Amino acid sequence: MNLSYQLYSSRNWPLSDTLKMVSDIGYKEVEAYAALFDNVDELKTAVAENGLTVSSCHMDISALEGDVDACIALGNDVGTKRIYGPYLNEDIRPKTKAEWEAFAQRLMAIKPSIEAAGFVFGWHNHDFEFVDLGDGVTPMDILADAGIPFELDLGWVHVAGFDVIETIKKYAPLIRTAHIKDRAPEGEKTDEDGWADAGAGVLDWAPIMAALKDAGITHCVIEHDNPSDHERFARASYEHITSL
């Protein structure tokens, strides 16, 4: 299993310090988020200096639709292999089945160019992709029916109220990467927005990791949306997941 670190987790700390920290812990790969591409040279230099690779990245849907060739060139520049659309702000988020079907087609219009250039492409979920749009149909179902691959965020699956292992099984053929994200017990870790280090929250990672292996998932990314201590989080999560 390839284990990466989502640099968004450490957005409140200097990039060079973060990359040295994750390298010292034992990570070999990182996942970049869109804001880091504002200074590509800094990212590339710091990654190389610490013996890391940018194995995957998030690129905003506006950039992907605006100039997919530029996004492909950027991906090649940083040496990544996987490009994922990460999020939709609420003001532009589809609300109905028809709107989600239209969004799925927008993603499908991007997909061929990115895959033809040699990248894995997909969509990264939050909890809003699991809302019931009627008759038990969710946005995830609509995206899956259209053939959109996923970077499945397991923490958000849990927050949405869905069983993580059953969700992995349901979408297994389309999952390209999994985000390892844990949730604190209700009412705890409020200073960290309710998130926890992997292994310190409510998710049981041994059977989850086994389910990912059974589904053929080979790439996982550790993430925390708001750690108060990113080194504690990065180390504890790495040690727990690699011990399984």
Side-chain angles (χ1 to χ4, degrees):
M1 182 74 72
N2 294 328
L3 194 60
S4 179
Y5 182 80
Q6 169 52 273
L7 293 172
Y8 182 80
S9 308
S10 297
R11 65 195 179 279
N12 295 320
W13 288 269
L15 178 63
S16 58
D17 293 350
T18 294
L19 291 169
K20 183 179 186 308
M21 178 264 291
V22 299
S23 178
D24 288 346
I25 288 170
Y27 292 92
K28 303 300 182 186
E29 304 175 8
V30 293
E31 182 172 71
Y33 61 101
L36 291 177
F37 297 128
D38 292 341
N39 192 335
V40 176
D41 289 341
E42 179 189 16
L43 174 63
K44 289 168 58 180
T45 297
V47 164
E49 285 177 347
N50 289 285
L52 297 163
T53 60
V54 181
S55 55
S56 58
C57 68
H58 287 179
M59 293 188 184
D60 290 340
I61 185 68
S62 59
L64 291 166
E65 288 189 310
D67 192 340
V68 69
D69 290 337
C71 291
I72 289 169
L74 182 57
N76 284 324
D77 192 23
V78 299
T80 193
K81 302 299 182 185
R82 299 161 185 260
I83 296 174
Y84 296 112
Y87 186 68
L88 287 170
N89 290 328
E90 189 169 1
D91 60 332
I92 60 170
R93 195 177 300 165
K95 300 295 190 297
T96 66
K97 288 181 183 179
E99 289 174 351
W100 275 106
E101 288 166 354
F103 180 68
Q105 292 310 306
R106 288 167 59 189
L107 293 179
M108 285 300 289
I110 299 166
K111 181 174 179 282
S113 296
I114 295 177
E115 290 185 342
F119 298 94
V120 172
F121 175 67
W123 184 253
H124 174 273
N125 67 281
H126 290 72
D127 56 344
F128 59 80
E129 288 92 347
F130 288 90
V131 300
D132 189 340
L133 299 171
D135 302 320
V137 176
T138 69
M140 287 291 286
D141 294 329
I142 291 172
L143 296 176
D145 287 346
I148 304 299
F150 296 124
E151 180 178 53
L152 189 67
D153 189 304
L154 305 179
W156 282 116
V157 171
H158 171 79
V159 170
F162 284 70
D163 182 274
V164 171
I165 291 176
E166 291 305 313
T167 301
I168 292 169
K169 292 177 179 178
K170 180 176 182 179
Y171 299 116
L174 290 167
I175 302 171
R176 303 292 180 263
T177 301
H179 260 212
I180 305 302
K181 185 185 294 182
D182 213 337
R183 191 71 177 168
E186 190 67 29
E188 296 185 15
K189 294 286 185 179
T190 56
D191 62 323
E192 299 192 357
D193 297 338
W195 300 107
D197 304 344
V202 299
L203 276 70
D204 187 354
W205 289 104
I208 291 173
M209 297 305 293
L212 291 172
K213 182 179 179 180
D214 289 344
I217 311 307
T218 61
H219 191 81
C220 290
V221 180
I222 286 178
E223 183 184 41
H224 188 308
D225 280 359
N226 188 28
S228 59
D229 181 338
H230 72 150
E231 183 171 3
R232 178 216 72 215
F233 155 69
R235 186 178 302 280
S237 299
Y238 181 86
E239 290 177 351
H240 182 72
I241 297 301
T242 56
S243 73
L244 300 177

